[in-house]
Amino acid sequence: MARRGDSASAVDFVWETRTHLVDVTVPGGAPDASDLLRRDWEAQVGDAVPIPPCRPVTDDDYRVRIHHSKVADMVVDDVYSDSIVGGTGGTFNHLNDCVVLHVVRRGGWRFGRSDGAGDTVEVSAGQFLARYNAPSWDFGISSRTASQVLILPAGELRPLMGDRHLAGPCDGAPLRVLMAHVETVTSVLDDLSPAAVQAARNAMTELVKGVLTGGVDGDEPQLAPALAGAAQRILEGLLTEPELSPRLLARELNVSVRTLHRAFADQGEPLMAYVRRRRIERALQDLTSPGSRLSVRQAAARWGFADSSHFVRACKKRYGQTPSQYARIHADLSEGAVEREVVRSVVQDRQAGVEVAPVQGDVEQGLGDRAREIVGGREAVG
């Protein structure tokens, strides 16, 4: 995406495309599988996403899919891969003098130093590995592996780890905060200004330091959005807990309650106001979902309200309606949408010369008078 300053006095700049997608499938048993992989890879993205020396090791079709995001001088790769082996490092390799962080969601990676020093390191689903990429490493990826790989300049990070690798579980607080930040940044990366990208990059550096040292610096202002984002993701699984509190959430993230409150305040919505809003929204979703037979009292109990009267007051304060009123209005709107879809389908078929079968039963009863006239062919359309 390219954009330029609107005024003549503004400094012109062009926003580059910072994200690329590689999606290559190599037929199983192909004798030139490595060449086919490289050719198709380079045809899709050229050298924007460098391909490491590698070869598939499966008799089945081999597929690799990488969503590549460049955040200033850092890279985030969201990787799916079938079984493959390869290497990183060496002359002209893009991973030289980098710290690489692998976060494995499914499958696994295996690493060993190309010079034979040290033991083989395996990283399975639910684990992460941080490693310094010099000297070069050999790797193997098991079938159907899904992971995120962060490639980071070593300058500020290597002093925290030296030449050793660090491994741990993915559910630790520092990594959860980091990955919440990564998800947010990569989802809007192509729309960010250069200054915003640099700020995101700097925050990522501080969060990776937290992963390497086992703690996030809660007093660092630029980390507030990432901390609030991680907290929101954790909260979604805790909204039904009656004992949900700032202290419980702070303990999950390994930060102080004061730090947590400040992170939410910086985003414009206090922590418990966010919790209350999400509980109201989830309870209303349950009440208005198709086929729902939940009562207001049951929805209130499920989503952590002390009783139905608390839910009713909170809903009326936010929406100006009781939950029952909200559910009735939502049902009326849903019926209107069904009516419009029935009419639209009939009109399209009739204009295309397709014979339209009679609309009967519950659907016909649910239509308004004019819609019934149109569907029945008694009123002209278009």
Side-chain angles (χ1 to χ4, degrees):
M1 175 184 297
R3 287 179 62 172
R4 296 184 179 275
D6 293 329
S7 67
S9 60
V11 176
D12 283 354
F13 61 86
V14 177
W15 285 353
E16 61 179 324
T17 298
R18 304 184 183 102
T19 59
H20 297 84
L21 177 66
V22 178
D23 194 344
V24 177
T25 299
V26 177
D32 54 350
S34 296
D35 292 338
L36 288 174
L37 174 60
R38 179 175 295 277
R39 183 195 66 198
D40 289 354
W41 181 304
E42 292 177 348
Q44 290 185 21
V45 293
D47 58 0
V49 184
I51 180 172
C54 57
R55 60 180 177 85
V57 288
T58 174
D59 291 332
D60 299 324
D61 289 354
Y62 169 78
R63 184 187 181 196
V64 59
R65 185 180 188 276
I66 300 176
H67 188 273
H68 174 92
S69 302
K70 188 168 177 58
V71 186
D73 56 352
M74 298 180 175
V75 168
V76 178
D77 283 337
D78 198 320
V79 181
Y80 168 88
S81 178
D82 290 321
S83 296
I84 197 169
V85 295
T88 65
T91 306
F92 304 123
N93 192 280
H94 68 294
L95 298 182
N96 286 340
D97 199 32
C98 288
V99 169
V100 186
L101 178 66
H102 303 263
V103 181
V104 183
R105 299 192 302 271
R106 185 177 68 236
W109 289 68
R110 183 181 66 259
F111 296 95
R113 287 284 179 83
S114 300
D115 58 9
D119 298 327
T120 298
V121 182
E122 295 190 2
V123 199
S124 56
Q127 296 181 311
F128 76 86
L129 173 74
R131 60 186 182 83
Y132 177 57
N133 198 64
S136 60
W137 293 61
D138 295 329
F139 69 84
I141 305 178
S142 59
S143 181
R144 298 172 59 82
T145 289
S147 57
Q148 285 176 293
V149 181
L150 279 60
I151 304 169
L152 315 148
E156 297 181 60
L157 303 175
R158 191 182 177 195
L160 302 176
M161 58 189 300
D163 292 332
R164 63 194 175 100
H165 62 269
L166 299 173
C170 289
D171 60 0
L175 190 72
R176 290 162 89 171
V177 177
L178 168 63
M179 298 317 292
H181 176 67
V182 167
E183 180 179 336
T184 299
V185 171
T186 55
S187 67
V188 296
L189 185 57
D190 277 338
D191 295 325
L192 295 180
S193 70
V197 171
Q198 190 62 38
R201 179 261 185 221
N202 293 341
M204 195 179 302
T205 299
E206 296 302 316
L207 291 170
V208 173
K209 288 179 181 178
V211 172
L212 300 180
T213 60
V216 175
D217 182 2
D219 293 325
E220 177 58 58
Q222 64 182 344
L223 302 187
L227 182 57
Q232 289 166 3
R233 285 163 176 76
I234 294 173
L235 278 170
E236 288 303 308
L238 298 175
L239 290 173
T240 59
E241 296 292 331
E243 303 304 318
L244 174 59
S245 68
R247 187 176 299 277
L248 184 152
L249 185 59
R251 189 166 57 245
E252 286 282 323
L253 289 166
N254 196 29
V255 297
S256 70
V257 174
R258 180 179 64 86
T259 294
L260 187 61
H261 279 301
R262 189 171 62 239
F264 273 84
D266 287 349
Q267 306 312 302
E269 184 175 27
L271 168 57
M272 294 314 294
Y274 175 85
V275 171
R276 185 164 52 253
R277 173 171 65 82
R278 288 299 296 141
R279 280 175 162 169
I280 294 170
E281 289 170 350
R282 296 298 294 273
L284 291 176
Q285 285 173 12
D286 278 0
L287 285 174
T288 57
S289 62
S292 172
R293 296 184 179 276
L294 276 184
S295 67
V296 170
R297 180 181 59 81
Q298 290 170 324
R302 172 182 291 182
W303 291 105
F305 291 93
D307 52 47
S308 59
S309 63
H310 281 79
F311 176 33
V312 171
R313 286 197 298 272
C315 183
K316 194 165 185 178
K317 182 177 180 180
R318 182 164 188 84
Y319 294 105
Q321 303 161 350
T322 67
S324 297
Q325 290 169 333
Y326 182 96
R328 281 197 298 273
I329 292 172
H330 186 277
D332 291 343
L333 291 174
S334 296
E335 290 170 4
V338 171
E339 175 178 300
R340 288 192 298 274
E341 178 60 24
V342 170
V343 171
R344 185 191 65 80
S345 177
V346 168
V347 169
Q348 284 185 343
D349 285 348
R350 190 174 293 149
Q351 289 175 339
V354 177
E355 183 178 350
V356 179
V359 178
Q360 300 176 334
D362 291 342
V363 174
E364 183 183 26
Q365 293 300 316
L367 298 179
D369 291 340
R370 182 170 183 274
R372 199 176 291 117
E373 291 287 325
I374 293 174
V375 169
R378 294 183 294 276
E379 180 174 327
V381 297

Coordinates of all heavy atoms in Angstrom, one line a residue, residues 211-272:
V211 N 10.5 -12.0 28.0 CA 10.5 -13.5 27.8 C 11.8 -14.0 28.2 O 11.9 -15.1 28.9 CB 10.1 -13.8 26.4 CG1 10.3 -15.3 26.1 CG2 8.7 -13.4 26.0
L212 N 12.9 -13.4 27.8 CA 14.2 -13.9 28.1 C 14.6 -13.8 29.6 O 15.4 -14.6 30.1 CB 15.3 -13.1 27.3 CG 15.1 -13.3 25.8 CD1 16.2 -12.5 25.0 CD2 15.1 -14.7 25.3
T213 N 14.0 -12.8 30.3 CA 14.4 -12.6 31.7 C 13.3 -13.1 32.7 O 13.5 -13.1 33.9 CB 14.7 -11.1 32.0 OG1 13.5 -10.3 31.7 CG2 15.8 -10.6 31.1
G214 N 12.2 -13.4 32.1 CA 11.1 -14.0 33.0 C 10.2 -13.0 33.6 O 9.4 -13.3 34.5
G215 N 10.2 -11.8 33.1 CA 9.2 -10.7 33.6 C 9.1 -9.6 32.7 O 10.0 -9.2 32.0
V216 N 7.9 -8.9 32.7 CA 7.6 -7.8 31.9 C 7.8 -6.5 32.7 O 7.3 -6.5 33.9 CB 6.2 -7.8 31.3 CG1 5.9 -6.6 30.5 CG2 6.1 -9.0 30.3
D217 N 8.4 -5.5 32.2 CA 8.5 -4.2 33.0 C 7.2 -3.5 32.9 O 6.9 -2.8 31.9 CB 9.7 -3.4 32.4 CG 9.9 -2.1 33.1 OD1 9.2 -1.9 34.1 OD2 10.8 -1.3 32.7
G218 N 6.4 -3.6 34.0 CA 5.1 -3.0 34.0 C 5.1 -1.5 34.0 O 4.1 -0.8 33.7
D219 N 6.3 -0.9 34.3 CA 6.4 0.6 34.3 C 6.8 1.2 33.0 O 6.9 2.4 32.9 CB 7.4 1.0 35.4 CG 6.9 0.7 36.8 OD1 5.7 0.8 37.0 OD2 7.8 0.3 37.7
E220 N 6.9 0.3 32.0 CA 7.3 0.8 30.6 C 6.0 1.2 29.9 O 5.2 0.4 29.5 CB 8.0 -0.3 29.9 CG 8.4 0.1 28.4 CD 9.2 1.3 28.3 OE1 10.3 1.3 29.0 OE2 8.8 2.3 27.7
P221 N 5.8 2.5 29.7 CA 4.5 3.0 29.1 C 4.2 2.4 27.7 O 3.0 2.1 27.5 CB 4.7 4.5 29.0 CG 5.8 4.8 29.9 CD 6.7 3.7 30.0
Q222 N 5.2 2.1 26.9 CA 4.9 1.6 25.6 C 4.4 0.2 25.6 O 3.9 -0.3 24.6 CB 6.1 1.7 24.7 CG 7.3 0.9 25.1 CD 8.5 1.1 24.2 OE1 8.3 1.6 23.1 NE2 9.6 0.7 24.6
L223 N 4.4 -0.5 26.7 CA 4.0 -1.9 26.8 C 2.5 -2.0 27.2 O 1.9 -3.0 27.3 CB 4.8 -2.7 27.8 CG 6.3 -2.7 27.5 CD1 7.0 -3.7 28.4 CD2 6.6 -3.2 26.0
A224 N 1.9 -0.8 27.6 CA 0.5 -0.8 28.1 C -0.5 -1.5 27.1 O -1.3 -2.3 27.5 CB 0.1 0.6 28.5
P225 N -0.4 -1.2 25.8 CA -1.4 -1.8 24.9 C -1.2 -3.3 24.8 O -2.2 -4.1 24.8 CB -1.0 -1.2 23.5 CG -0.4 0.1 23.8 CD 0.4 -0.1 25.1
A226 N 0.0 -3.8 24.8 CA 0.3 -5.2 24.8 C -0.2 -5.9 26.0 O -0.8 -7.0 26.0 CB 1.8 -5.5 24.6
L227 N 0.0 -5.3 27.2 CA -0.4 -5.8 28.4 C -2.0 -5.9 28.5 O -2.5 -6.9 28.9 CB 0.1 -5.0 29.6 CG -0.2 -5.5 31.0 CD1 0.3 -6.9 31.2 CD2 0.4 -4.6 32.1
A228 N -2.6 -4.8 28.1 CA -4.1 -4.8 28.1 C -4.6 -5.9 27.1 O -5.6 -6.5 27.4 CB -4.6 -3.4 27.7
G229 N -4.0 -6.0 25.9 CA -4.4 -7.0 25.0 C -4.3 -8.4 25.5 O -5.2 -9.2 25.3
A230 N -3.2 -8.7 26.2 CA -3.0 -10.0 26.8 C -4.0 -10.3 27.9 O -4.6 -11.4 28.0 CB -1.6 -10.2 27.3
A231 N -4.3 -9.3 28.7 CA -5.3 -9.4 29.7 C -6.7 -9.7 29.2 O -7.4 -10.5 29.7 CB -5.3 -8.1 30.6
Q232 N -7.0 -9.0 28.1 CA -8.3 -9.2 27.5 C -8.5 -10.6 27.0 O -9.6 -11.2 27.1 CB -8.5 -8.2 26.3 CG -8.7 -6.8 26.8 CD -8.6 -5.7 25.7 OE1 -8.4 -6.1 24.6 NE2 -8.7 -4.5 26.1
R233 N -7.5 -11.2 26.4 CA -7.5 -12.6 25.9 C -7.7 -13.5 27.1 O -8.5 -14.5 27.0 CB -6.3 -12.9 25.1 CG -6.3 -12.3 23.7 CD -4.9 -12.3 23.1 NE -4.9 -11.7 21.8 CZ -5.0 -10.5 21.5 NH1 -5.1 -9.6 22.4 NH2 -5.1 -10.1 20.2
I234 N -7.0 -13.3 28.2 CA -7.2 -14.2 29.4 C -8.6 -14.0 29.9 O -9.2 -15.0 30.3 CB -6.1 -13.8 30.4 CG1 -4.7 -14.2 29.8 CG2 -6.4 -14.6 31.7 CD1 -3.6 -13.7 30.7
L235 N -9.1 -12.8 30.0 CA -10.4 -12.5 30.6 C -11.5 -13.3 29.9 O -12.5 -13.7 30.5 CB -10.7 -11.0 30.5 CG -10.0 -10.1 31.6 CD1 -10.2 -8.7 31.3 CD2 -10.7 -10.5 32.9
E236 N -11.4 -13.5 28.5 CA -12.4 -14.2 27.8 C -12.7 -15.5 28.4 O -13.8 -16.0 28.3 CB -12.1 -14.2 26.3 CG -12.2 -12.9 25.6 CD -13.6 -12.3 25.7 OE1 -14.6 -13.0 25.4 OE2 -13.6 -11.1 26.1
G237 N -11.7 -16.2 29.0 CA -11.8 -17.5 29.6 C -12.2 -17.4 31.0 O -12.4 -18.5 31.6
L238 N -12.3 -16.2 31.6 CA -12.6 -16.1 33.0 C -13.9 -15.3 33.3 O -14.2 -15.2 34.5 CB -11.4 -15.3 33.7 CG -10.0 -16.0 33.7 CD1 -9.0 -15.1 34.3 CD2 -10.1 -17.3 34.4
L239 N -14.6 -14.9 32.3 CA -15.8 -14.1 32.5 C -16.9 -14.8 33.3 O -17.7 -14.2 33.9 CB -16.3 -13.6 31.1 CG -15.5 -12.6 30.4 CD1 -16.1 -12.3 29.0 CD2 -15.4 -11.3 31.2
T240 N -16.9 -16.1 33.2 CA -17.9 -16.9 33.9 C -17.6 -17.1 35.4 O -18.4 -17.6 36.2 CB -18.2 -18.2 33.3 OG1 -17.0 -19.0 33.2 CG2 -18.7 -18.0 31.8
E241 N -16.3 -16.7 35.8 CA -15.9 -16.9 37.2 C -16.5 -15.9 38.1 O -16.1 -14.7 37.9 CB -14.4 -16.9 37.2 CG -13.7 -18.0 36.5 CD -13.9 -19.4 37.1 OE1 -14.1 -19.4 38.3 OE2 -13.9 -20.4 36.3
P242 N -17.2 -16.3 39.1 CA -17.8 -15.3 40.0 C -16.7 -14.5 40.8 O -16.9 -13.4 41.2 CB -18.7 -16.1 40.9 CG -19.0 -17.4 40.2 CD -17.7 -17.6 39.4
E243 N -15.6 -15.2 41.0 CA -14.5 -14.6 41.8 C -13.5 -13.8 41.0 O -12.4 -13.5 41.5 CB -13.8 -15.7 42.6 CG -14.7 -16.5 43.5 CD -15.5 -15.7 44.5 OE1 -14.9 -14.8 45.1 OE2 -16.7 -15.9 44.7
L244 N -13.8 -13.5 39.7 CA -12.9 -12.8 38.9 C -12.6 -11.4 39.5 O -13.5 -10.7 39.9 CB -13.5 -12.6 37.5 CG -12.7 -11.7 36.5 CD1 -11.3 -12.3 36.3 CD2 -13.5 -11.6 35.2
S245 N -11.3 -11.1 39.6 CA -10.9 -9.8 40.2 C -9.6 -9.3 39.6 O -8.9 -10.1 38.9 CB -10.7 -10.1 41.7 OG -9.5 -10.9 41.9
P246 N -9.3 -8.1 39.8 CA -8.0 -7.5 39.3 C -6.8 -8.3 39.8 O -5.9 -8.5 39.1 CB -8.1 -6.1 39.7 CG -9.5 -5.7 39.8 CD -10.2 -7.0 40.3
R247 N -6.9 -8.7 41.1 CA -5.8 -9.4 41.7 C -5.6 -10.8 41.0 O -4.4 -11.1 40.8 CB -6.1 -9.6 43.2 CG -4.9 -10.2 44.0 CD -5.2 -10.2 45.5 NE -5.4 -8.9 46.0 CZ -4.5 -8.1 46.4 NH1 -3.2 -8.4 46.2 NH2 -4.8 -6.9 46.8
L248 N -6.7 -11.5 40.7 CA -6.5 -12.8 40.1 C -5.9 -12.6 38.7 O -5.0 -13.3 38.3 CB -7.9 -13.4 39.9 CG -8.0 -14.8 39.4 CD1 -9.2 -15.6 39.9 CD2 -8.1 -14.8 37.8
L249 N -6.3 -11.6 37.9 CA -5.8 -11.4 36.6 C -4.4 -10.9 36.6 O -3.5 -11.4 35.8 CB -6.7 -10.3 35.9 CG -6.4 -10.1 34.4 CD1 -6.5 -11.3 33.6 CD2 -7.3 -9.0 33.8
A250 N -4.0 -10.0 37.6 CA -2.6 -9.6 37.7 C -1.7 -10.8 38.0 O -0.6 -10.8 37.5 CB -2.5 -8.5 38.8
R251 N -2.2 -11.7 38.8 CA -1.4 -12.9 39.1 C -1.2 -13.7 37.9 O -0.1 -14.3 37.7 CB -2.1 -13.7 40.2 CG -1.2 -14.8 40.8 CD -1.8 -15.4 42.1 NE -3.1 -15.8 42.0 CZ -4.2 -15.3 42.6 NH1 -4.0 -14.2 43.3 NH2 -5.4 -15.8 42.4
E252 N -2.2 -13.8 37.0 CA -2.0 -14.6 35.8 C -1.0 -14.0 34.9 O -0.3 -14.7 34.2 CB -3.4 -14.6 35.0 CG -4.4 -15.5 35.6 CD -4.2 -17.0 35.3 OE1 -3.7 -17.2 34.1 OE2 -4.4 -17.8 36.1
L253 N -0.8 -12.7 34.9 CA 0.1 -12.0 34.0 C 1.4 -11.6 34.7 O 2.3 -11.0 34.1 CB -0.5 -10.7 33.5 CG -1.7 -10.9 32.5 CD1 -2.4 -9.6 32.3 CD2 -1.1 -11.4 31.2
N254 N 1.5 -11.9 36.0 CA 2.7 -11.7 36.8 C 3.1 -10.2 36.8 O 4.3 -9.8 36.6 CB 3.9 -12.5 36.2 CG 5.1 -12.6 37.1 OD1 4.9 -12.5 38.4 ND2 6.3 -12.7 36.6
V255 N 2.1 -9.4 37.0 CA 2.3 -7.9 37.1 C 1.5 -7.5 38.4 O 0.7 -8.2 38.9 CB 1.8 -7.1 35.9 CG1 2.6 -7.5 34.7 CG2 0.3 -7.3 35.6
S256 N 1.8 -6.2 38.8 CA 1.1 -5.7 39.9 C -0.3 -5.3 39.5 O -0.6 -5.0 38.3 CB 1.8 -4.5 40.5 OG 1.7 -3.4 39.6
V257 N -1.3 -5.2 40.5 CA -2.6 -4.7 40.2 C -2.6 -3.3 39.7 O -3.3 -2.9 38.8 CB -3.5 -4.9 41.5 CG1 -4.9 -4.2 41.3 CG2 -3.6 -6.3 41.9
R258 N -1.7 -2.5 40.3 CA -1.6 -1.1 39.9 C -1.2 -1.0 38.4 O -1.8 -0.2 37.6 CB -0.5 -0.4 40.7 CG -0.3 1.1 40.3 CD 0.7 1.7 41.3 NE 2.0 1.1 41.1 CZ 2.9 1.5 40.2 NH1 2.6 2.5 39.3 NH2 4.1 0.9 40.1
T259 N -0.2 -1.8 38.0 CA 0.2 -1.9 36.6 C -0.9 -2.3 35.7 O -1.1 -1.7 34.6 CB 1.4 -2.8 36.4 OG1 2.5 -2.3 37.1 CG2 1.8 -3.0 34.9
L260 N -1.7 -3.2 36.1 CA -2.8 -3.7 35.3 C -3.9 -2.6 35.1 O -4.4 -2.4 34.0 CB -3.4 -5.0 35.9 CG -4.5 -5.7 35.1 CD1 -3.9 -6.2 33.8 CD2 -5.0 -6.9 35.9
H261 N -4.2 -2.0 36.2 CA -5.2 -0.9 36.1 C -4.7 0.2 35.2 O -5.5 0.8 34.4 CB -5.5 -0.3 37.5 CG -6.5 -1.1 38.3 ND1 -7.8 -1.4 37.9 CD2 -6.4 -1.8 39.5 CE1 -8.4 -2.1 38.7 NE2 -7.6 -2.4 39.8
R262 N -3.4 0.6 35.3 CA -2.9 1.6 34.5 C -2.9 1.3 33.0 O -3.2 2.1 32.1 CB -1.5 1.9 34.9 CG -0.9 3.2 34.2 CD 0.4 3.7 34.8 NE 1.4 2.7 34.7 CZ 2.1 2.1 35.7 NH1 1.8 2.4 36.9 NH2 3.0 1.2 35.5
A263 N -2.6 0.0 32.7 CA -2.7 -0.4 31.3 C -4.0 -0.3 30.7 O -4.2 0.2 29.5 CB -2.2 -1.9 31.2
F264 N -5.1 -0.6 31.4 CA -6.5 -0.5 30.9 C -6.8 1.0 30.8 O -7.5 1.4 29.8 CB -7.4 -1.3 31.8 CG -7.6 -2.7 31.3 CD1 -6.7 -3.6 31.8 CD2 -8.6 -3.1 30.5 CE1 -6.8 -5.0 31.4 CE2 -8.8 -4.4 30.1 CZ -7.9 -5.3 30.5
A265 N -6.5 1.8 31.8 CA -6.8 3.2 31.8 C -6.1 3.9 30.6 O -6.8 4.8 30.0 CB -6.3 3.9 33.1
D266 N -4.9 3.5 30.2 CA -4.3 4.1 29.1 C -5.0 3.8 27.8 O -4.9 4.5 26.8 CB -2.8 3.5 29.0 CG -1.9 4.1 30.0 OD1 -2.3 5.1 30.7 OD2 -0.8 3.6 30.2
Q267 N -5.8 2.7 27.8 CA -6.6 2.3 26.6 C -8.0 3.0 26.6 O -8.8 2.8 25.6 CB -6.7 0.8 26.5 CG -5.4 0.0 26.5 CD -4.4 0.6 25.6 OE1 -4.6 0.7 24.4 NE2 -3.2 1.0 26.2
G268 N -8.3 3.7 27.6 CA -9.5 4.5 27.7 C -10.7 3.8 28.3 O -11.8 4.3 28.3
E269 N -10.5 2.6 28.9 CA -11.6 1.9 29.6 C -11.1 1.2 30.8 O -10.3 0.3 30.7 CB -12.3 0.9 28.6 CG -13.5 0.2 29.2 CD -14.2 -0.7 28.2 OE1 -13.5 -1.2 27.3 OE2 -15.4 -0.9 28.3
P270 N -11.6 1.5 32.0 CA -11.1 0.9 33.2 C -11.3 -0.6 33.2 O -12.2 -1.1 32.5 CB -12.0 1.5 34.3 CG -12.4 2.8 33.8 CD -12.6 2.6 32.3
L271 N -10.5 -1.3 33.9 CA -10.5 -2.8 33.8 C -11.9 -3.4 34.1 O -12.4 -4.2 33.3 CB -9.5 -3.4 34.8 CG -9.5 -4.9 35.1 CD1 -9.4 -5.7 33.9 CD2 -8.4 -5.2 36.1
M272 N -12.5 -3.0 35.3 CA -13.7 -3.6 35.6 C -14.9 -3.2 34.8 O -15.9 -3.9 34.6 CB -14.0 -3.4 37.1 CG -13.0 -4.1 38.0 SD -12.7 -5.8 37.6 CE -14.3 -6.6 37.9

